Structures are given as C-alpha cells and as structure tokens.
Amino acid sequence: MGINLPIIVINLFVLVSLIISFFKSKEKSLQGLRIAVKSFVKMMPYVIIIILFIGILQGFLSKEIITQYLGESSGFSGVIFAGIAGAILHIPSLVSFPLVASLIESGASVMVAAAFITTLTMVGFVTLPLEIKVLGKKLAILRNLFSFIIALIIAVIMGVILG
C-alpha cells in the first residue's frame, strides 16, 4: 500500500485549519468539534450498514457477475438498474460513495455509478408520500420522473466524459 498524497494534504490542511481556529476562538473551535462528533455518531449506523452491505455484496457476487450486469457490457440496462436502485434506496449520498467505489473496483462502469448516485440524490421514491402531501400528486410525480430522466442523462454524460 503506497502513500496517498491527496489524503495526506487534505488531513494536513484540516489540522492546520483547526490549529488556526483554536488560536482565534477556543470556545467556537470546541463547539465545532462537538457538532462534528455528534454528526459522526449519527452517521455511524449508516456507515456500518454500508460496510456490511459491501462485504455481503462482495461475498455473494463475483467480479464477473458485477461486470456482466453493471459493467460496460451491460449497456443501458445496467444504467437503468442502477438508476432504479438509487431512486428506491434511502441512504445518505455521502455514505453511498464507498459503496460505489467498491462497485467500480469490482467492475461496474462509471456510467452505472453516476446513475446510482444521481438518482440517489435527485429522486425520492421513499419520500414520495411526503412530497405528494406538500407539492400535490401531479407535481411530485412529475418532479421525480423528470429528475430520474435528467439523472440518467447526467449518467450518460459522465460515462462519456470519464468512461
């Protein structure tokens, strides 16, 4: 395992910023750290679930299967599948990044990864009842439908640019 320079640079930047913050206001810095720790604790169940999900996924699905259904050769059906999964799942997008990275390492295409993350953040299947209550049925369904279509367009563009 080699040295990961970007991670070292980011961590050094955070450390220097924290030191500067402590010199400016110890109270505000401690308050910020308390908020960060609370956020970290709230996010931990999601992180643990994703880690378990990744482990199960890698245990039951071989790289060949992931490549077949989510790789370059899967075509647009893999993008649609990832888009539907992203639209249905209700997990914080920040937590989904390790899952997507694991899928890409196992053979999934960039287009599929982009479809998953964009639909995860833009489409709210789980929150649809609340949206219907607030926006009305027609507007809520239209918003989610157009968001799904736009998310797939974004995935195709990302696949062309980064693929």
Side-chain angles (χ1 to χ4, degrees), residues 48 64 69 72 75 129-130 151 162-163:
I48 292 169
E64 292 78 25
Y69 290 103
E72 298 292 338
L130 177 63
L162 300 175

Side-chain angles (χ1 to χ4, degrees), residues 131-151:
E131 278 191 64
I132 289 172
K133 215 179 235 186
V134 174
L135 300 174
K137 186 176 185 176
K138 184 177 178 181
L139 184 59
I141 290 172
L142 282 174
R143 190 207 69 75
N144 278 281
L145 179 64
F146 286 130
S147 293
F148 186 79
I149 292 167
I150 291 168

Side-chain angles (χ1 to χ4, degrees), residues 35-105:
I35 292 169
V37 167
K38 283 181 185 178
S39 295
F40 178 74
V41 169
K42 281 183 182 179
M43 195 181 293
M44 278 314 294
Y46 294 111
V47 172
I48 292 169
I49 288 169
I50 292 299
I51 290 170
L52 289 173
F53 185 72
I54 291 170
I56 291 169
L57 185 73
Q58 289 179 336
F60 287 106
L61 300 178
S62 67
K63 283 189 174 190
E64 292 78 25
I65 291 174
I66 292 172
T67 301
Q68 179 182 353
Y69 290 103
L70 300 175
E72 298 292 338
S73 63
S74 69
F76 202 66
S77 64
V79 174
I80 294 289
F81 176 74
I84 291 170
I88 292 172
L89 291 175
H90 188 68
I91 56 176
S93 57
L94 184 64
V95 177
S96 70
F97 295 139
L99 172 61
V100 171
S102 172
L103 286 173
I104 289 173
E105 288 173 7

